[in-house]
Amino acid sequence: MASSADPDELVASTDAHHPANLIPSLCSKFWSLGWVTGTGGGCSIRQGDLVYIAPSGVQKELMKNTDIYVLSLSAQLPSTHQRTYLRSPPDLKPSQCTPLFLAAFTRRRAGCCIHTHSQWAVLVTLLLEAQGSHVFEINNIEQIKAFPRTASSETDGTPSNLGFHDTLRIPVIENTPHEEDLTSFLEDAMDHHPHTCAVLVRRHGVYVWGDDVRKAKTQAESLDYLFQLAVEMKKLGIPWVSQIARVGPDRR
Amino acid sequence: MASSADPDELVASTDAHHPANLIPSLCSKFWSLGWVTGTGGGCSIRQGDLVYIAPSGVQKELMKNTDIYVLSLSAQLPSTHQRTYLRSPPDLKPSQCTPLFLAAFTRRRAGCCIHTHSQWAVLVTLLLEAQGSHVFEINNIEQIKAFPRTASSETDGTPSNLGFHDTLRIPVIENTPHEEDLTSFLEDAMDHHPHTCAVLVRRHGVYVWGDDVRKAKTQAESLDYLFQLAVEMKKLGIPWVSQIARVGPDRR
Amino acid sequence: MASSADPDELVASTDAHHPANLIPSLCSKFWSLGWVTGTGGGCSIRQGDLVYIAPSGVQKELMKNTDIYVLSLSAQLPSTHQRTYLRSPPDLKPSQCTPLFLAAFTRRRAGCCIHTHSQWAVLVTLLLEAQGSHVFEINNIEQIKAFPRTASSETDGTPSNLGFHDTLRIPVIENTPHEEDLTSFLEDAMDHHPHTCAVLVRRHGVYVWGDDVRKAKTQAESLDYLFQLAVEMKKLGIPWVSQIARVGPDRR
Amino acid sequence: MASSADPDELVASTDAHHPANLIPSLCSKFWSLGWVTGTGGGCSIRQGDLVYIAPSGVQKELMKNTDIYVLSLSAQLPSTHQRTYLRSPPDLKPSQCTPLFLAAFTRRRAGCCIHTHSQWAVLVTLLLEAQGSHVFEINNIEQIKAFPRTASSETDGTPSNLGFHDTLRIPVIENTPHEEDLTSFLEDAMDHHPHTCAVLVRRHGVYVWGDDVRKAKTQAESLDYLFQLAVEMKKLGIPWVSQIARVGPDRR
């Protein structure tokens, strides 16, 4: 545990790739994409046992490394098994997304988790609600290849990704009045969809994770691309799932 | 009153958080968001008794601190009770939004007021006009949590925000040929909706305020997000107000 | 005439407001707005007798001051009354928009003329074509106030702008295979609509001018705002021209 | 062959126009345009015999010159006629687009080839699929003039471009599970449409090439403009191909 040292050392680095510097630059980019409008959404990075988390209620495009919370995955209070923060910025509040980020880190060994309020994600959940559906499904779109077919832990470092003709499935959970109450529903969705790298939250947004920052961000971008495409397809009367003729050799 | 001192001192500061520096940086960001296109819209910040206001007719993404008007809330001319400017930039005209900004400062003790011509706001007022409605209502969307349930003055600094299942209500007033004539209608809407932090102006835009710059900007962003979402929901045939089953404990 | 001097002096200045520096910074902004995609569109500034023009076929977001053409309004070849360039950049071609920019400078004494290929402008001309219309009309939208009611030359420097309830009218001319052939049609439209500050070109884009750069840019932005709004209104079934009840005193 | 020299010299230059510097700056721009979201899409530049290629799976807005692959067009392995890389960055994978980029360089003597996953391109292929069509066609739009009527090699350096009334035709090929398997279909489309500068890939994106970076980028931007316009026209019920009356002299 780093509790004996100066906790501010945990977020002080001149390395642009240090999590305390990466989270602000990622959040600024996400703000430009409309993912974290009005202080909504967030981002967390895990490095070994340490978890770095953006705070609640800050303007995401203006965040600084000194705004970042840090906690230890392994260190829990003996009585309640609650985790405590190794570093808490003064005058800020911890993110209500924290238990959801932790679910991705503990259940999926993720290295980064991104939560967006993207309107495309929300609109997809609204369109699915009108159909009584709890799963977003789309196939036969090239960008689907960005997603893993299996969890990376199953494949000894050579993960297999979805193919063009495969169907990407992202579960949808219902929103709860308090964000931390989503945790058990998110964990259930992870259990029932063991290969998914994302969970949609109805009328709220999406949680996306990955082994590292690059993978989590690539999957978050690719999902948002598919959500936007799906909304436009709906406007134009084009179905999300189709049976199309296969072209060329399929060497999968 | 600061009239004996050099009025240019009122806008000269190397602090990026000084209102005369903040207004130009905010307006540049608002221009990129399409909120102040063609010199429309504006922004004002109150710091104690001093009110800082963007001028009329300037390119909002190019504004400088020396373009900012300053007036005193308390100092009024004895005869007409008109407020006078402590600082007026040469060659510019004061904003016609001034009396509307002042209404937010005097009636709601706001610290910042933002006026946008966002197309999403205008489209929402047009859709409501077709229904003969004077209130924008939306519920069961996560971003609604960004808005206060009660005025901050009622809650001793621990403001309560709307919950996910609550209905956000933003009143709509009709536009007038001259912007300053909106003032009495804006004040009436504030009186009839004592907890609202915004008023839509039909076929014109929206006024949003908050206790400080961060809150006003967060609420302006969150409102614009909801207006855009509402327009897209309308295109897709999804109602803005719904009755959905509640999930999980509601501890409000 | 400046022909005896070094023509490169005409575009060499450290002043950001010099036309040869302004045109590249404006064109970069227009590129971000989608107005000059794929080297389409352009911009010209007149300062006294000198006219500065962006060249043909350059990437508009990468333009430099040394790319700018300069010609004199008054200097014409005796035989053909053709104007000659005081400065021509090597390896570039003059813009085919040149005679159209000159029409704004000579017939309207404009100080700046902007030509965009904005998709919103093109879509408005397509929607009007389906109705057999040659005029874009919209009223009862606040942004209409950005446009002059009368030419500035008629009002001795105190121009009157359109009011909220007035109808903005922008003529539409048909496109021609060669851009310079548009000139006589543009001039006719200027004659028939003596107060317009813009002419739409069917399936092509729009020409907008103003007394100076600020006015031309403000009007171009405001027009593009109205074109986009009009397209969205069409999608939502809201008419562009309406009869609405007047609110408050109309002191015009 | 440069194999005897330090391969890192091939991508080390302080010149912003060196291909190894241009590709990262272009890809950053393309990321902002939504063309290379989630590491999709790519870009390659040919300079004489040397071909510079962006790698697979990198965040396109963060690419560096040291990420660039280099190969020689002429140097092939005697046995398999496979080309080998003169420079391969450590820890990266070559782009699966490589054989498709090479097709543009060898069959069309292109100097630059751009591959985007633009949603507008994908939506156009989906709309055409519903019609059973394998060619995107549009006419009577000014931006069509950005495209060549004939290959530049046929016209001795004075290429003729399409006119306003001409019909632009871009072939559509079906997507394959593996990107390299697209190569023969792309080459067939090049053979059957000898003057095209682009090929759409169904449910995937578009390949665009040009004699140099400026032309390839101008054509890629102009195509994306037309794809977006076409989708909006579809939403508004306006046909892509029309018979309209000709105005003015057609001097083609």
Side-chain angles (χ1 to χ4, degrees), chain A residues 31 37-39 57 59 61 117 119 122-123 126 174-178 180-181 185 203-204 235, chain B residues 29 140-143 145 164 214 217-218 221-222 225 228-229 232-233 236 238 242 247 249 251-252:
Chain A
W31 186 85
T37 300
T39 82
Q59 300 174 70
E61 83 279 20
H117 284 195
Q119 300 207 4
V122 173
L123 288 168
L126 289 166
E174 303 306 316
N175 200 26
T176 54
H178 297 276
E180 58 266 35
D181 295 335
F185 298 100
R203 296 169 169 273
H204 180 153
K235 288 183 191 168
Chain B
K29 199 172 281 187
N140 293 319
I141 299 291
E142 177 71 9
Q143 199 78 21
K145 292 186 186 171
F164 171 64
R214 184 183 65 79
K217 172 169 168 289
T218 297
E221 284 184 19
S222 296
Y225 170 100
Q228 179 176 3
L229 187 68
E232 293 297 310
M233 287 169 78
L236 295 163
I238 300 164
S242 60
V247 176
R251 286 170 293 172
R252 278 182 286 128

Side-chain angles (χ1 to χ4, degrees), chain C residues 121-132:
Chain C
V122 173
L123 287 169
V124 160
T125 68
L126 289 166
L127 287 168
L128 289 168
E129 185 183 67
Q131 303 166 25

Side-chain angles (χ1 to χ4, degrees), chain D residues 27-177:
Chain D
C27 282
S28 173
K29 199 173 281 187
F30 298 163
W31 186 86
S32 297
L33 293 170
W35 290 2
V36 292
T37 299
T39 81
C43 180
S44 179
I45 296 175
R46 180 182 67 83
Q47 209 168 61
D49 182 57
L50 294 181
V51 174
Y52 300 79
I53 314 176
S56 175
V58 298
Q59 300 175 69
K60 291 289 190 295
E61 82 279 20
L62 301 177
M63 210 185 295
K64 302 181 304 292
N65 64 320
T66 51
D67 297 336
I68 303 294
Y69 282 83
V70 187
L71 55 71
S72 157
L73 265 192
S74 59
Q76 302 185 3
L77 290 183
S79 52
T80 63
H81 297 285
Q82 284 276 311
R83 289 182 183 86
T84 54
Y85 289 97
L86 301 182
R87 178 180 191 270
S88 295
D91 304 323
L92 290 173
K93 286 193 301 184
S95 171
Q96 288 195 307
C97 309
T98 303
L100 297 127
F101 291 146
L102 293 178
F105 298 148
T106 55
R107 301 212 162 203
R108 297 300 178 95
R109 286 188 274 171
C112 176
C113 187
I114 296 165
H115 171 45
T116 91
H117 285 195
S118 164
Q119 300 208 4
W120 307 111
V122 173
L123 287 169
V124 159
T125 68
L126 289 166
L127 288 168
L128 289 168
E129 185 184 67
Q131 301 167 27
S133 170
H134 290 77
V135 186
F136 170 66
E137 294 185 310
I138 193 164
N139 69 358
N140 293 318
I141 300 289
E142 177 71 11
Q143 199 79 20
I144 290 170
K145 292 185 185 170
F147 298 95
R149 178 193 305 276
T150 53
S152 60
S153 55
E154 297 177 24
T155 53
D156 285 315
T158 50
S160 165
N161 273 22
L162 290 178
F164 171 65
H165 294 302
D166 291 325
T167 298
L168 174 71
R169 289 187 177 83
I170 307 290
V172 185
I173 60 174
E174 303 306 316
N175 199 27
T176 56

Side-chain angles (χ1 to χ4, degrees), chain A residues 174-217:
Chain A
E174 303 306 316
N175 200 26
T176 54
H178 297 276
E179 192 142 14
E180 58 266 35
D181 295 335
L182 284 173
T183 313
S184 64
F185 298 100
L186 184 85
E187 291 171 345
D188 285 352
M190 286 175 165
D191 291 347
H192 284 94
H193 296 79
H195 302 146
T196 192
C197 66
V199 173
L200 279 160
V201 185
R202 188 97 67 202
R203 296 169 169 273
H204 180 153
V206 69
Y207 280 86
V208 192
W209 56 86
D211 293 345
D212 53 31
V213 169
R214 183 182 65 79
K215 285 188 187 169
K217 173 170 167 289

Side-chain angles (χ1 to χ4, degrees), chain A residues 109-166:
Chain A
R109 286 190 274 171
C112 176
C113 187
I114 296 165
H115 172 43
T116 91
H117 284 195
S118 164
Q119 300 207 4
W120 307 112
V122 173
L123 288 168
V124 159
T125 68
L126 289 166
L127 288 168
L128 289 168
E129 184 184 68
Q131 302 167 26
S133 170
H134 291 78
V135 186
F136 171 66
E137 294 184 310
I138 193 164
N139 68 359
N140 293 319
I141 299 290
E142 177 71 11
Q143 198 79 21
I144 290 170
K145 291 186 185 170
F147 298 95
R149 178 194 305 277
T150 54
S152 59
S153 56
E154 298 175 26
T155 52
D156 285 314
T158 50
S160 165
N161 272 23
L162 290 178
F164 171 64
H165 294 303
D166 290 325

